[in-house]
Amino acid sequence: MKTRRGWRANTKAPENRYKMGLLRAMTAAARLSRDRRAWIAAGAVLVVAVAVGVWVQLAGRQDGPPDTRARQYREFDACLLTGDKGIAEGTRAASAWEGMQRASSETRARINYVPVTGAQSVTNTRPFLNSLMQRQCGVLIAVGAPQSRVAQEAAAQHPEVWFVLVDGASTAGRGKAGNVTVAEPDDSLPGAVADVIRRAVDASGQ
């Protein structure tokens, strides 16, 4: 009996080894299949990422010459000196700024403004005007009583600069200097400011 059972065991052993080998092969194949799918998925993600990167670079690249519609400004600055409200809507400075914008669109002159902060006095205004003069302004528009007074003082020292005074109080100093224009603080202010800038730009030869 022992011999028979041993024979039967020996006859089943190759079959069991075959089954185990087949099972291992199937398991390895399944694992390889999963790994292969993972590699395929990773490759697909990589391809998509590369494609997106290329598209972003192409989208951000500007083909051909630069946009000719971009404004090319002249080497000419028109400056505005205002009170502490700056160019807030409804102020005289806002009307002057409107005229400056109009002249800039026509002449391509650069425009900027500086508000006087702190005390609205001649003493406190003078440093602000001096900072503008350091910018080599071709035209300086002063809106406000202390601003106009300080600008009028500077006009005699800077005959090459065109000054526009807007104080709304008086026309003192009108005609005393050839480079000073006293503009009325009414509806004509934008046009008067724009006209001075146009003439100054033409005279500069820029």
Side-chain angles (χ1 to χ4, degrees):
M1 295 295 293
K2 292 181 180 180
T3 302
R4 189 175 182 181
R5 285 198 298 269
W7 176 82
R8 288 179 179 175
N10 290 337
T11 57
K12 292 180 180 180
E15 181 180 357
N16 291 337
R17 286 196 296 270
Y18 172 77
K19 289 181 179 179
M20 290 300 296
L22 181 60
L23 181 60
R24 292 192 185 97
M26 292 175 64
T27 302
R31 186 181 298 110
L32 179 60
S33 177
R34 288 195 300 270
D35 292 345
R36 186 177 182 182
R37 287 197 299 270
W39 278 107
I40 292 174
V45 171
L46 179 61
V47 170
V48 172
V50 171
V52 171
V54 171
W55 179 83
V56 170
Q57 288 183 354
L58 291 177
R61 182 183 302 168
Q62 179 179 354
D63 295 328
D67 189 356
T68 56
R69 294 174 298 177
R71 182 182 292 273
Q72 299 295 323
Y73 287 98
R74 296 175 184 262
E75 290 298 322
F76 189 95
D77 291 274
C79 308
L80 174 63
L81 185 64
T82 77
D84 55 1
K85 293 182 180 179
I87 54 174
E89 185 178 358
T91 61
R92 293 167 182 165
S95 296
W97 184 250
E98 178 185 344
M100 295 175 71
Q101 289 179 307
R102 186 186 308 173
S104 178
S105 65
E106 297 173 359
T107 66
R108 293 180 288 112
R110 294 186 297 248
I111 59 175
N112 60 83
Y113 75 96
V114 170
V116 175
T117 58
Q120 300 299 297
S121 63
V122 170
T123 301
N124 187 50
T125 298
R126 194 169 285 114
F128 290 91
L129 182 135
N130 292 337
S131 69
L132 278 177
M133 298 309 298
Q134 292 175 0
R135 301 183 186 183
Q136 305 298 318
C137 301
V139 175
L140 192 141
I141 299 99
V143 179
Q147 289 81 359
S148 294
R149 180 175 173 182
V150 171
Q152 187 172 356
E153 294 174 357
Q157 303 171 5
H158 300 276
E160 76 285 358
V161 179
W162 297 53
F163 288 84
V164 179
L165 312 183
V166 186
D167 61 11
S170 70
T171 57
R174 183 191 300 270
K176 287 188 176 181
N179 60 337
V180 175
T181 298
V182 178
E184 299 297 334
D186 53 23
D187 293 342
S188 66
L189 180 57
V193 168
D195 182 62
V196 171
I197 295 175
R198 289 192 208 97
R199 290 189 287 118
V201 171
D202 290 341
S204 70
Q206 295 289 339

